[in-house]
Amino acid sequence: MHSTSVPSGSARGAVVVGAGVGGLATALGLRRAGWQVTVLERRTELERYGTALGIHPTAQTALERLGGGVAAALNRRGVPYRSAHVRRPDGSVLARLPLDRIEKKAGRPELLIFRPYLIDALVEALDGYGDVTLKLGERVDDPAAPAREYDLVVGADGINSAVRTAFFGSRSRPRHIGTVAWIGTAEFTSPLYGETWGEGRFFGMTPVEPGRTNWYAVAPEATTADELRGLFAGWHEPIPRILTETDPADWLRYEMRHLYPALPSFVHGGHIALVGDAAHAMTPNLGQGACTALLDAEALTRAVARHGEPGGLPAALRAYDTERRRSAQRTALASRTLHRLMATRHTRARDALLRLLP
């Protein structure tokens, strides 16, 4: 990725704050639409922690529209997700995840991809344009400064978004929900996938690539890495094996948070927009975080391209907000509601309810 200044010319200027999935995808869409794009990332290296991202068919379509060969990379490196169940700790099946219905409706399956592979594909696509600027180690403490310099400012800077706080206030902010997730990768293929729901905790396993299994364990927020194995002792295999054969030093700890209350708008002042977690950070229970970020990126850049010159930006941003806000916030609410169901201690009622669902 080039780190030199954007050449001067007649192209319009946009700055994207944040170089995660949503930020890089937005930069790709804007550059394809003819904008000069600068991406500012506070980290000195792109965040390359490993976990499996579920890419729903609708998000796959968004990647195809964004172009740059990212969808082809997804199809090449992604693993189809076709069979998974919800189980009790003893291994008995409570429900089947609706992956087959998703595939039947969309004509293609959900895909799981190792997050660094998707980041690499987005960076490679941006490199193909040659004149997109990615500046690492650029902390944006005063978002008003780039707002004075660029025609469009996109806040893709995550749940703790400085852009959101600066232009939308602090009423909507990250809230803890009382649980913590431990995430890792096991170096073997699990014989089964899905989630196992216990009392106040749950465990999930998905494919990520041949010979490896993505896993996550969610427990009360005070749980430490040393306590995690004990919490899932006696659960069905391969859960104990995964926790035994993976090194706690390699586990990622993620405090479960969401953005609350929901923002009244994803846009501000005719030239500020939010995408991804900056706009609607959600719990990961539906596996829709990356998907909603990609849908945001595609919708925003399509609206900007359709409305043409910078003078059309206010209309473009209104169109983006109309298309994405309610949909993304419904997904966030559904994910939070599912988390409550999964983490409840009233397991008999929950399990009975789950058996009644189609």
Side-chain angles (χ1 to χ4, degrees), residues 116-141:
Y117 296 161
L118 182 56
I119 293 291
D120 287 345
L122 289 164
V123 170
E124 183 177 351
L126 288 171
D127 273 341
Y129 284 105
D131 59 353
V132 175
T133 301
L134 173 59
K135 295 183 178 181
L136 300 175
E138 290 283 335
R139 189 179 187 91
V140 180
D141 294 318

Side-chain angles (χ1 to χ4, degrees), residues 4-233:
T4 56
S5 299
V6 178
S8 60
S10 60
R12 294 140 293 176
V15 62
V16 178
V17 182
V21 170
L24 294 174
T26 301
L28 178 60
L30 289 172
R31 185 62 192 87
R32 190 182 187 202
W35 284 65
Q36 290 182 347
V37 183
T38 298
V39 182
L40 305 178
E41 169 57 48
R42 65 179 177 84
R43 295 178 178 86
T44 55
E45 296 181 359
L46 291 178
E47 194 173 41
R48 300 184 58 78
Y49 65 83
T51 187
L53 297 178
I55 309 298
H56 189 275
T58 54
Q60 295 173 39
T61 299
L63 278 175
E64 290 169 353
R65 291 173 177 170
L66 288 167
V70 183
L74 172 65
N75 289 326
R76 186 170 62 252
R77 303 300 297 267
V79 177
Y81 196 25
R82 289 193 163 103
S83 180
H85 296 82
V86 178
R87 292 177 169 82
R88 288 194 180 100
D90 64 6
S92 57
V93 173
L94 286 169
R96 179 183 178 91
L97 296 185
L99 298 169
D100 52 343
R101 295 206 300 272
I102 291 173
E103 183 171 359
K104 183 177 181 180
K105 181 178 179 180
R108 54 181 167 183
E110 179 165 339
L111 295 175
L112 290 159
I113 187 169
F114 193 42
R115 186 182 185 277
Y117 296 161
L118 182 56
I119 293 291
D120 287 345
L122 289 164
V123 170
E124 183 177 351
L126 288 171
D127 273 341
Y129 284 105
D131 59 353
V132 175
T133 301
L134 173 59
K135 295 183 178 181
L136 300 175
E138 290 283 335
R139 189 179 187 91
V140 180
D141 294 318
D142 178 18
R148 291 189 294 268
E149 183 179 351
Y150 294 90
D151 297 310
L152 172 63
V153 176
V154 180
D157 48 343
I159 190 170
N160 296 311
S161 172
V163 176
R164 184 187 66 241
T165 301
F167 295 106
F168 297 78
S170 59
R171 182 171 179 267
S172 295
R173 61 184 186 273
R175 314 281 180 155
H176 289 259
I177 59 174
T179 54
V180 62
W182 296 91
I183 306 168
T185 304
E187 299 300 323
F188 64 86
T189 300
S190 173
L192 49 86
Y193 297 114
E195 293 180 332
T196 301
W197 297 3
E199 184 178 318
R201 58 196 186 275
F202 54 90
F203 196 97
M205 296 167 286
T206 70
V208 60
E209 57 185 340
R212 306 181 82 196
T213 298
N214 176 76
W215 65 268
Y216 49 94
V218 177
E221 196 168 45
T223 303
T224 66
D226 291 338
E227 297 169 333
L228 195 67
R229 287 172 174 153
L231 281 179
F232 294 95

Side-chain angles (χ1 to χ4, degrees), residues 239-253:
I239 294 172
R241 180 188 173 191
I242 285 175
L243 293 176
T244 298
E245 295 186 9
T246 54
D247 185 350
D250 296 327
W251 299 351
L252 300 173
R253 185 180 187 275

